[in-house]
Amino acid sequence: MKECPNCHAEMGADVSFCTNCGTDLRQVAVSEEKPAPAAPEPKAAPVQEAEVKAEGQADSQASGQAENVLSTYWQWLLHAWKKPAEAVVAEKWYGLTTLILEDLFFILAVIAGMNKLASSLETSYPFLSSIITESNFSSIITELESSFSSYVMISVVLGQVVVLAINYFAMKRFAKSEFDFLGYLNRYAHLSAYSLILNVLFWLFALTGSLGLQEIVLNMTAVVGFLALIYVLLEEKAEKIDQMQFALVISIIVLIVVMIVVKMFFKEFASEIASVTNQQVNSLLGQ
């Protein structure tokens, strides 16, 4: 490059006269071309900041997925309450989750009912305090509550598993059902979805001590569950046996199993009451 000594304009190395002012540039020394300044490199984000952003995005995505899953499950429940008999595609865990929720509210209702009953015994029979010390009486009530709650949980879960297993086995054996077990639970839970509402009501009535309403709701829950069992059976086309006979035989078997489970429950609970009572009587006789 050449720089004009008169007007300081920059000219090419082969230019003899300044094109701006006409000055003779033949004696002007050629200077080296200055390289253009390099563009500044973008600053890299600190590693820690990048990790924090990535974790935040992952948490946000996980939260969004969880909300979407809950929303989809809620929509399935709403559909079950509006049109229980209408089959609908569902995730495999929907039915099992619904049945677990039903059992959970039922068990909570029983525990709340036992607490109400215990409080009622302590206030309604004050003369017991003259026979049994207050601390012993409270320990008896607590022990009976614990035993009753344990028996209820075992009986509910065991009875439900046995009944559903019998129903499913009958469908696979006599009707050649295409359902797998989780698919069968989805269908049954969809048909008996009202049981979830009824068990929530059962729990609320247990908290308030409304025995009459509890009995009504409990009977309605049993009817809904039984109708769901029958409906699932009638949906499947039985082979080598009449459809109505098939549903009737399985219903009888289910009722027998339920009666056995209930009888075992009350027998064990009565035995526990007798054991606790005998211990207290022997203790009093010893004193």
Side-chain angles (χ1 to χ4, degrees):
M1 294 289 292
K2 290 182 180 180
E3 183 178 348
C4 177
N6 184 35
C7 65
H8 303 289
E10 291 185 352
M11 300 292 159
D14 58 345
V15 177
S16 299
F17 296 92
C18 178
T19 57
N20 187 36
C21 63
T23 303
D24 187 358
L25 301 179
R26 287 176 293 182
Q27 302 301 323
V28 176
V30 178
S31 62
E32 294 182 0
E33 185 175 355
K34 296 179 181 179
E41 295 182 1
K43 295 183 178 179
V47 176
Q48 185 176 2
E49 182 180 352
E51 290 178 352
V52 170
K53 288 182 179 179
E55 290 177 359
Q57 291 176 354
D59 293 340
S60 177
Q61 290 177 355
S63 176
Q65 290 175 354
E67 291 179 1
N68 184 53
V69 168
L70 292 176
S71 175
T72 306
Y73 174 63
W74 177 248
Q75 292 300 322
W76 179 82
L77 273 180
L78 289 178
H79 185 275
W81 292 329
K82 292 177 182 178
K83 299 179 180 180
E86 184 177 321
V88 63
V89 178
E91 296 291 340
K92 287 187 175 294
W93 55 270
Y94 284 4
L96 181 60
T97 301
T98 305
L99 296 177
I100 290 174
L101 289 175
E102 291 175 7
D103 291 347
L104 177 61
F105 280 108
F106 182 83
I107 292 169
L108 290 176
V110 172
I111 294 175
M114 280 298 299
N115 291 335
K116 284 284 183 182
L117 179 61
S119 301
S120 176
L121 287 174
E122 292 179 356
T123 56
S124 300
Y125 301 96
F127 67 90
L128 290 174
S129 300
S130 61
I131 303 175
I132 306 174
T133 62
E134 184 175 352
S135 60
N136 285 341
F137 184 67
S138 298
S139 65
I140 291 174
I141 296 298
T142 301
E143 187 172 351
L144 291 178
E145 284 181 8
S146 176
S147 299
F148 186 79
S149 301
S150 300
Y151 290 138
V152 166
M153 286 187 284
I154 294 172
S155 300
V156 168
V157 175
L158 178 62
Q160 192 172 57
V161 169
V162 171
V163 167
L164 293 176
I166 291 174
N167 218 39
Y168 177 69
F169 174 78
M171 288 171 55
K172 299 295 287 187
R173 176 65 178 81
F174 299 105
K176 305 297 182 182
S177 174
E178 296 181 357
F179 282 125
D180 58 9
F181 189 65
L182 290 178
Y184 165 70
L185 292 183
N186 276 353
R187 187 65 186 131
Y188 171 76
H190 195 271
L191 288 165
S192 64
Y194 290 124
S195 296
L196 180 56
I197 298 176
L198 292 172
N199 281 327
V200 172
L201 291 176
F202 184 45
W203 172 58
L204 294 176
F205 292 149
L207 291 176
T208 59
S210 306
L211 293 178
L213 293 175
Q214 290 180 60
E215 184 178 358
I216 293 173
V217 171
L218 191 58
N219 289 331
M220 291 176 63
T221 304
V223 170
V224 169
F226 187 72
L227 289 177
L229 287 173
I230 299 300
Y231 197 96
V232 174
L233 290 174
L234 293 177
E235 281 187 324
E236 300 292 331
K237 185 171 179 59
E239 298 179 354
K240 301 179 182 179
I241 186 173
D242 182 79
Q243 192 81 357
M244 194 62 192
Q245 291 177 348
F246 173 59
L248 184 61
V249 169
I250 300 303
S251 301
I252 293 173
I253 294 175
V254 167
L255 286 175
I256 292 173
V257 170
V258 171
M259 290 173 61
I260 292 174
V261 171
V262 171
K263 186 176 180 180
M264 289 174 57
F265 163 72
F266 281 108
K267 183 179 178 180
E268 290 295 328
F269 185 61
S271 175
E272 182 68 19
I273 292 176
S275 175
V276 173
T277 304
N278 288 334
Q279 290 178 6
Q280 293 302 320
V281 170
N282 292 333
S283 177
L284 289 172
L285 291 176
Q287 293 176 1

